[in-house]
Amino acid sequence: MAEPGQVQGSLRNRLAVTLIGGAALLALLLFLVVRSYAAQIAQQGQDSILTASVSSILDAAVLRDDQVEIDFPYAAFSMLTTAADDQVYYAIYRDGGFLSGYADLPQQASSAVPKQFQTALYDGKAVRISTASRTLLGADVRTRITVSVAQTQDALSETLNQISTNVASFGLGFFMLAVLLSFWVTSVTIAPLKRLTTSVTRRGPQDLRPLTKPVPSEMLPLVNSLNTLMGRLNQSLSQSEDFIAEAAHRVRTPLATVRSYAETTLQRVDKEENRQALRSMVRAIDESSRAAGQLLDHAMITFRADHLEHEDLDLGDLVQELVQRLTPVAEMKDIDLVLQIDRPVRLIGDAILLQNAIRNLIDNALKYSPSESVIEISVTASPNPQVAVRDQGAGFPSDEIADLAQRFSRGNNARGTIGSGLGLTIAQDVAAAHGGSLTLSNTAGGGACVIFSV
């Protein structure tokens, strides 16, 4: 079993964190920009009102007999009324000398500019101060009047707080939407990779066909690399299968020749020691020939498993033909083959592979059944097409039954019986190729039971 690869983070999580982090940064930037712009607009509104108030006071200033008279207009301060009842302060200067108002109201550093604004602390509160000047001309007098009007910023602060709350709510909604979109984007982005993973995972161990489904351009190098790797593996597997098949064929042919010579020699030899040696030779030749044949069968099954030649079959007819062909072998051992078929048992499958698998099961039963016994072969269609082979032999070793279908695996009670340990493996591989299974068990009255289902 392959060891799991090392994991270093998650592409989906990285992408999601990047998108969410970017959304959070954008939301924060949006909040700061909108709040700054709102503060600038609100401040400009307050400055405009303060300027109008200062202008109305300056317009009311007149010079009579070298005295400055100002009849404060009602609108000069009424226009500064706010819902927060902001406090208003003023100061009037003549040529730099204090005339009226709040003498300690902060003054501008320079009066050269006609209109000036500043924010300062007065009486422990932040105030916005607007200052403007006007020159008054008399008969022989020229004087400069400077007026400063200040207003606290409680209403402005409340407005900015409300704007900040609204912008924060909007930014939070934008962030939550961005989070949802981030998860959706990451899912959509990772989906082709998941589909590729699922496509590769669902393949059988021998399915080395190239991946042909369209993929994003970023995944194309990965898919090309996988196809190249699978192409190399397929070539290597084909070469191995060809080698096994060729080797088995080349070994089986001379073995048959050697066996015929050994049997001929056995009939001519009278000395018991020599006859026993020849019998051992024939037995070894039979075992080698059988192993070579099953290796050839296994190589053929491995090759055809991923390229099944599907056709509509009657499983009962297929098994009946096998039983007829193997009946002479059974009669030589005084074994009866009893066949029971529920007709019809239709299925879609590869006839050659199915015949090979079921022949191995019946052949195994013949090998391990005692003389004058019965082998029951039943073919049923429910709940799914299956073939059950029951013999009256020694059965399967209970502690080894789970491993007997593995390649070259044989039970302890199989010693002395010719075999290669591939018969059950071949049957199991054929069942798996058809989406079925192979079940091994022992019957209550003694003997083995193999159920081949497809």
Side-chain angles (χ1 to χ4, degrees):
M1 183 176 180
E3 295 183 359
Q6 296 182 355
V7 177
Q8 185 178 7
S10 166
L11 288 177
R12 179 175 182 176
N13 292 342
R14 289 182 185 177
L15 182 58
V17 168
T18 300
L19 292 175
I20 293 174
L25 183 60
L26 287 176
L28 179 60
L29 183 62
L30 176 66
F31 172 79
L32 295 177
V33 169
V34 173
R35 191 182 187 283
S36 175
Y37 183 71
Q40 182 181 356
I41 296 299
Q43 190 65 74
Q44 288 177 356
Q46 186 184 34
D47 290 347
S48 298
I49 297 175
L50 287 172
T51 300
S53 177
V54 171
S55 298
S56 65
I57 295 174
L58 286 174
D59 291 341
V62 296
L63 188 62
R64 290 193 180 95
D65 299 330
D66 198 23
Q67 297 295 322
V68 176
E69 295 181 4
I70 300 177
D71 185 10
F72 279 91
Y74 172 78
F77 294 123
S78 64
M79 70 176 64
L80 297 175
T81 302
T82 63
D85 292 332
D86 282 317
Q87 296 179 358
V88 179
Y89 309 93
Y90 75 95
I92 302 175
Y93 300 87
R94 178 180 179 181
D95 296 329
F98 177 74
L99 287 182
S100 177
Y102 296 83
D104 56 348
L105 190 66
Q107 296 298 304
Q108 299 286 352
S110 172
S111 60
V113 181
K115 296 179 181 179
Q116 297 185 44
F117 301 95
Q118 67 169 331
T119 301
L121 283 176
Y122 180 68
D123 196 18
K125 299 179 181 179
V127 295
R128 183 68 171 174
I129 305 173
S130 176
T131 303
S133 300
R134 177 186 176 190
T135 302
L136 299 179
L137 300 175
D140 53 357
V141 178
R142 180 187 180 92
T143 185
R144 188 172 182 81
I145 301 299
T146 301
V147 177
S148 295
V149 177
Q151 183 182 28
T152 56
Q153 296 187 299
D154 295 338
L156 180 64
S157 298
E158 290 181 5
T159 301
L160 290 178
N161 289 336
Q162 184 177 1
I163 292 175
S164 298
T165 301
N166 294 336
V167 173
S169 300
F170 176 77
L172 181 61
F174 169 78
F175 175 72
M176 296 304 297
L177 179 61
V179 170
L180 296 177
L181 288 176
S182 298
F183 283 113
W184 177 75
V185 169
T186 53
S187 299
V188 172
T189 304
I190 299 298
L193 185 58
K194 287 187 175 181
R195 288 195 294 268
L196 176 64
T197 303
T198 303
S199 176
V200 175
T201 303
R202 287 179 177 177
R203 293 191 173 201
Q206 305 296 329
D207 189 355
L208 298 176
R209 293 171 298 166
L211 300 168
T212 57
K213 292 185 177 180
V215 295
S217 58
E218 292 80 4
M219 292 175 57
L220 187 59
L222 173 61
V223 172
N224 289 338
S225 299
L226 283 174
N227 288 339
T228 301
L229 176 61
M230 288 191 291
R232 293 176 180 174
L233 291 175
N234 190 32
Q235 183 180 6
S236 177
L237 183 62
S238 298
Q239 291 176 349
S240 299
E241 293 169 354
D242 293 342
F243 172 78
I244 294 174
E246 183 66 21
H249 177 72
R250 290 183 177 273
V251 168
R252 189 165 55 178
T253 301
L255 283 177
T257 303
V258 173
R259 188 183 192 284
S260 64
Y261 282 123
E263 287 183 339
T264 302
T265 304
L266 179 61
Q267 296 175 0
R268 298 175 182 177
V269 172
D270 296 329
K271 194 173 183 180
E272 185 60 28
E273 294 180 359
N274 294 335
R275 291 178 63 85
Q276 187 63 31
L278 287 172
R279 290 193 188 98
S280 298
M281 181 184 296
V282 171
R283 182 183 180 86
I285 292 172
D286 288 342
E287 188 167 352
S288 299
S289 179
R290 180 178 178 82
Q294 289 198 319
L295 281 172
L296 180 62
D297 292 342
H298 188 266
M300 182 266 296
I301 290 170
T302 302
F303 175 76
R304 290 178 66 103
D306 293 324
H307 308 281
L308 298 179
E309 295 185 5
H310 296 285
E311 56 182 303
D312 187 8
L313 304 172
D314 188 318
L315 188 59
D317 292 343
L318 186 146
V319 175
Q320 186 174 23
E321 180 183 350
L322 283 172
V323 170
Q324 291 174 354
R325 287 162 50 187
L326 292 173
T327 296
V329 179
E331 291 176 348
M332 292 177 60
K333 295 186 65 175
D334 293 330
I335 297 175
D336 293 331
L337 297 179
V338 179
L339 177 62
Q340 297 178 347
I341 303 176
D342 291 341
R343 295 189 181 274
V345 184
R346 310 297 303 185
L347 60 87
I348 303 297
D350 190 310
I352 294 178
L353 293 188
L354 292 173
Q355 285 179 346
N356 199 306
I358 298 171
R359 188 189 71 242
N360 273 279
L361 296 181
I362 299 175
D363 188 55
N364 274 353
L366 288 172
K367 283 194 305 179
Y368 297 107
S369 294
S371 299
E372 299 182 354
S373 63
V374 177
I375 297 177
E376 297 178 358
I377 305 168
S378 60
V379 183
T380 57
S382 179
N384 56 304
Q386 64 180 24
V387 178
V389 180
R390 299 176 178 85
D391 62 44
Q392 297 176 343
F396 298 116
S398 58
D399 57 338
E400 301 177 0
I401 196 168
D403 301 324
L404 291 179
Q406 296 181 2
R407 190 179 302 178
F408 303 116
S409 177
R410 304 188 71 196
N412 291 327
N413 59 355
R415 295 174 181 175
T417 303
I418 296 175
S420 63
L422 285 174
L424 294 178
T425 303
I426 291 172
Q428 180 172 262
D429 289 348
V430 173
H434 287 79
S437 62
L438 186 73
T439 304
L440 308 182
S441 62
N442 291 316
T443 60
C449 175
V450 181
I451 298 178
F452 175 85
S453 62
V454 291

